[in-house]
Amino acid sequence: QQEPGVEASVGYANYDTTSASLYATGGFTNWLAADIAVQYDNQDEGWGDNLVLGTDANLAKSYSVRTKLLFTPSEDTQIRLAGDYADRDGIAVEYRLPKGVRGADGVVTPGGHYDTPTNIQIYNYGENRNIVYARGGSLRIDHRMGLGQFVSISGYRKGTGALNVDTDGVATQVTEAFLPLFVESLSQEFQLIAPDDSRVEWLVGAF
């Protein structure tokens, strides 16, 4: 939108969790406007303990940013370009046996309900971790013409990361899992929509 605007917030919660968000929008010229949104969360204290490593368990941090440009070269044409990025790193996939259960190493599971004795030796990670990086973009073009409204939507997404899990739930190395993540997609869609004064509403498209 052309009218400028800003919204922001900060927060603090239990488990030493801090958060912040920002949204800003406004126009640069009569034909160009933009907005941006930023988000951040950090849970610095876990709601459990890793009894082997002496560290917190079950915590995470993340941030993301998204922005969009609106280009209006004429009354009949609008072009929207958007992009986003997100990052998450969490020790929030802790696997543990119920308290009192004897594990594969012969040791009875100790600690509280959210404590864990896990110890991942793959790549020296030590802790169960869930790491995700996601990004993408899109381009949408709307153009009114005599035959109707033409719409083109192009999109791209990519996600990478890894899930590291101590699947045995004990301090001794018995079984561990390293699951890499990779997802990538590219899409294109075309639409032709009936004009506003059409007596019959219709739409044709291809994807």
Side-chain angles (χ1 to χ4, degrees), residues 27-160:
F28 298 104
T29 67
N30 292 334
W31 45 267
L32 181 62
D35 70 358
I36 185 170
V38 181
Q39 169 271 333
Y40 171 81
D41 286 290
N42 183 18
Q43 180 193 338
D44 207 37
E45 179 184 342
W47 33 275
D49 296 302
N50 187 308
L51 304 176
V52 176
L53 303 175
T55 57
D56 286 2
N58 302 301
L59 68 160
K61 61 181 178 180
S62 66
Y63 69 88
S64 62
V65 59
R66 179 197 62 79
T67 186
K68 182 185 292 184
L69 291 173
L70 173 60
F71 176 51
T72 311
S74 69
E75 293 183 355
D76 296 324
T77 304
Q78 287 188 337
I79 301 173
R80 294 177 175 87
L81 178 64
D84 64 87
Y85 178 83
D87 181 314
R88 185 182 190 281
D89 187 353
I91 307 173
V93 289
E94 291 287 0
Y95 174 74
R96 69 180 304 278
L97 299 172
K99 183 178 180 179
V101 172
R102 191 175 302 276
D105 57 356
V107 178
V108 175
T109 304
H113 185 67
Y114 297 109
D115 296 333
T116 176
T118 58
N119 181 19
I120 298 178
Q121 298 185 31
I122 297 178
Y123 302 131
N124 295 318
Y125 267 113
E127 303 159 311
N128 290 322
R129 296 186 68 184
N130 182 12
I131 307 169
V132 178
Y133 308 103
R135 56 271 201 193
S138 64
L139 173 65
R140 173 170 176 148
I141 302 173
D142 292 82
H143 178 67
R144 287 197 304 267
M145 51 188 180
L147 185 60
Q149 179 179 346
F150 171 77
V151 180
S152 171
I153 304 173
S154 307
Y156 173 76
R157 301 296 309 170
K158 184 176 182 179
T160 57

Side-chain angles (χ1 to χ4, degrees), residues 159-172:
T160 57
L163 176 63
N164 307 284
V165 184
D166 190 346
T167 51
D168 52 63
V170 298
T172 303

